């Protein structure tokens, strides 16, 4: 789609009116595993769907356009996307990753490193001393998440680009928490952007998928080759669903953010709440940085209840419009207790080190009416006495 139009427009119209056979307005779903040869020695554009598929390509093109990359590889899950990015590493290469990265990323990097596929060092990417030390050593990949999960810390992408340059590393940003509607890491100097499409890009909690977007064409070609060789590519049906969800990304993100902000303000005003983590609040330590490097503050927030785990249990039990579940980024509001759910594997010590208290609750604000969500949280807070 022509880049004279805004991203909002291009996302809605991705691959619309591209069907030459029937003139279908919406791009048809192509589930076929294989494609005919026109004749002996005459292959067509597509031959086999693991390698390339028109429906998956339509989604990849839309996401590459949104992120401003040379190309995107759509994978079967967010973890498959991260596995794909790891194919750029050789034995001996160093990966620098955040101590508080997504749990699945931590598990994958540490277990592959334990098998000698590469080396990994987990560090606090907001700690200026640790970054200065890291700059003195060569590395191949600097992995970043911003905002972080579940404390919504904001990492300085421009500073991390400098670190990556000093180390000779590729800069990879997992952009799952904001989506390209609110943050485009390639513009901040990233080489790779990774998404769990499962979250905001699909946005309806009904597809597990992922994507790796590369800034330059050679890197994209290398990733596409590995995705085919390893069989990591996403299913056509999932791609069809994700493209359908993607069209509404910008309007969804606006309502997610409106709701998250209202919830953050409501929580911040409650005596039962010790601390609210939402980068949109002026008192958040990453507020100014987020203003600079993001186009919005997103739909995720967390907060610490003064009453610890007991208060968290009672609060979560009272909610009617927030479903107790892991994951995030769907149209429906969700609530999660990191200490007993997403961050249980860290253990008490690990959680203490990461600053995840027993009274911490994480919310994924959906797109329901703001007043209803605020009233629901108010009622649950008042039940804490
Ligand atoms: C969910 C998530 C992943 C993993 O994605 P899956 O689609 O579940 O495989 C990776 N990174 C972040 C930040 C996530 O939230």
């Amino acid at each position: 789609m022509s880049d004279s139009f805004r991203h909002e427009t291009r996302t809605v119209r991705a691959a619309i009116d591209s069907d030459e056979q029937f003139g279908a307005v919406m791009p048809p779903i192509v589930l076929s595993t294989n494609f005919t040869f026109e004749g002996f020695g005459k292959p067509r554009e597509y031959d086999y769907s693991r390698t390339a598929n028109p429906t998956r390509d339509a989604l990849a093109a839309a996401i590459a356009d949104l992120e401003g990359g040379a190309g995107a590889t759509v994978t079967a899950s967010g973890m498959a996307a991260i596995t794909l990015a790891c194919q750029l590493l050789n034995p001996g290469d160093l990966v620098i990753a955040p101590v508080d990265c997504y749990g699945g990323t931590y598990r994958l990097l540490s277990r592959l490193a334990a098998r000698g596929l590469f080396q990994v060092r987990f560090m606090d990417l907001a700690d200026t001393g640790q970054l200065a030390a890291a700059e003195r050593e060569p590395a191949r990949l600097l992995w970043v998440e911003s905002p972080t999960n579940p404390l919504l810390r904001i990492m300085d992408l421009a500073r991390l680009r400098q670190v990556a340059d000093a180390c000779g590393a590729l800069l990879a940003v997992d952009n799952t928490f904001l989506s390209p509607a609110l943050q485009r890491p390639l513009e901040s100097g990233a080489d790779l952007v990774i998404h769990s499409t499962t979250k905001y890009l699909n946005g309806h909690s009904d597809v597990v998928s992922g994507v790796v977007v590369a800034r330059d064409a050679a890197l994209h070609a290398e990733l596409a080759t590995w995705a085919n060789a390893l069989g990591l590519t996403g299913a056509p049906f999932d791609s069809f669903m994700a493209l359908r969800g993607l069209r509404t990304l910008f309007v969804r993100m606006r309502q997610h953010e409106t709701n998250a902000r209202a919830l953050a303000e409501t929580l911040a005003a409650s005596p039962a709440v010790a601390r609210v983590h939402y980068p949109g609040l002026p008192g958040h330590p990453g507020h100014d940085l987020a203003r600079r490097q993001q186009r919005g503050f997103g739909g995720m927030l967390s907060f610490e209840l003064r009453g610890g785990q007991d208060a968290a249990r009672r609060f979560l039990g009272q909610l009617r419009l927030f479903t107790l579940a892991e994951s995030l980024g769907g149209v429906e509001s969700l609530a999660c207790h990191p200490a007993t759910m997403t961050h249980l594997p860290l253990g008490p010590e690990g959680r203490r080190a990461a600053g995840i208290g027993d009274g911490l609750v994480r919310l994924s604000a959906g797109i329901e009416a703001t007043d209803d969500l605020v009233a629901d949280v108010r009622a649950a807070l008042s039940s804490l006495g």
Side-chain angles (χ1 to χ4, degrees):
M1 176 111 242
S2 160
D3 58 10
S4 66
F5 298 112
R6 290 180 182 278
H7 279 298
E8 286 90 328
T9 307
R10 279 140 65 182
T11 305
V12 171
R13 297 201 58 91
I16 281 184
D17 192 13
S18 62
D19 174 44
E20 287 175 2
Q21 191 177 9
F22 298 115
V25 172
M26 286 296 161
I29 174 169
V30 179
L31 293 171
S32 187
T33 54
N34 46 359
F35 300 84
T36 60
F37 277 59
E38 257 177 70
F40 186 83
K42 283 169 87 182
R44 301 180 197 264
E45 182 181 357
Y46 291 99
D47 57 12
Y48 188 58
S49 279
R50 167 166 37 76
T51 314
N53 169 279
T55 309
R56 191 169 62 233
D57 281 359
L59 174 65
I63 297 175
D65 180 35
L66 254 180
E67 289 285 9
T73 309
V74 169
T75 56
S77 66
M79 289 317 303
I82 298 168
T83 301
L84 179 58
C86 287
Q87 306 313 311
L88 301 172
L89 301 164
N90 289 308
D93 284 349
L94 177 66
V95 180
I96 298 172
V99 268
D100 50 355
C101 64
Y102 177 72
T105 306
Y106 186 90
R107 178 176 55 200
L108 181 71
L109 293 178
S110 49
R111 293 200 183 169
L112 291 180
R115 287 172 44 202
L117 274 77
F118 49 79
Q119 294 180 351
V120 66
R121 183 174 310 145
F122 294 100
M123 61 172 69
D124 182 351
L125 299 184
D127 182 318
T128 47
Q130 287 188 43
L131 287 184
E135 276 182 317
R136 290 193 284 272
E137 213 180 317
R140 172 68 178 147
L141 185 64
L142 175 55
W143 191 269
V144 180
E145 292 175 21
S146 184
T148 63
N149 175 31
L151 296 177
L152 287 302
R153 299 164 69 221
I154 307 294
M155 300 296 124
D156 186 339
L157 298 183
R159 171 70 187 118
L160 291 165
R161 177 68 263 178
Q162 289 176 345
V163 175
D165 283 340
C167 299
L170 293 169
L171 180 64
V173 177
D174 182 333
N175 200 23
T176 300
F177 264 50
L178 284 176
S179 91
L182 301 182
Q183 174 167 271
R184 283 205 270 280
L186 299 181
E187 291 173 359
S188 301
D191 299 293
L192 297 170
V193 173
I194 291 85
H195 281 278
S196 167
T197 317
T198 314
K199 317 294 169 50
Y200 286 109
L201 293 188
N202 176 61
H204 292 72
S205 304
D206 52 12
V207 174
V208 172
S209 69
V211 69
V212 184
V213 186
R215 174 216 278 285
D216 77 72
L219 206 50
H220 168 63
E222 189 176 352
L223 290 164
T225 301
W226 277 115
N228 178 49
L230 291 167
L232 297 174
T233 47
F237 186 78
D238 292 352
S239 301
F240 176 83
M241 293 284 282
L243 182 56
R244 188 178 191 273
L246 185 72
R247 297 189 192 287
T248 55
L249 177 70
F250 283 83
V251 285
R252 281 188 285 111
M253 291 316 293
R254 278 202 282 278
Q255 184 69 7
H256 283 302
E257 177 160 340
T258 298
N259 286 345
R261 182 190 297 273
L263 292 167
E265 286 167 358
T266 301
L267 288 158
S270 167
V273 175
R275 200 152 165 219
V276 180
H277 307 282
Y278 183 63
L281 293 179
H284 185 279
H287 180 71
D288 291 337
L289 181 54
R291 276 198 105 84
R292 283 201 302 276
Q293 75 184 15
Q294 303 174 188
R295 288 179 169 80
F297 301 107
M300 297 299 298
L301 66 151
S302 63
F303 57 98
E304 188 75 36
L305 286 166
R306 286 191 201 282
Q309 180 143 327
D310 191 45
R313 183 190 297 110
R314 281 187 292 145
F315 176 85
L316 291 166
Q318 289 295 318
L319 293 171
R320 294 162 67 204
L321 290 177
F322 292 78
T323 305
L324 185 66
E326 296 188 359
S327 197
L328 60 116
V331 291
E332 77 293 0
S333 289
L334 298 174
C336 147
H337 182 238
T340 55
M341 296 167 67
T342 49
H343 291 70
L344 180 68
L346 258 64
E349 299 280 285
R351 283 196 298 277
R352 216 182 341 270
I356 299 167
D358 290 342
L360 188 77
V361 173
R362 187 187 81 178
L363 299 179
S364 171
I367 63 167
E368 300 91 339
T370 313
D371 294 353
D372 284 339
L373 295 183
V374 167
D376 198 33
V377 162
R378 280 224 172 92
L381 285 172
S382 66
S383 78
L384 298 178

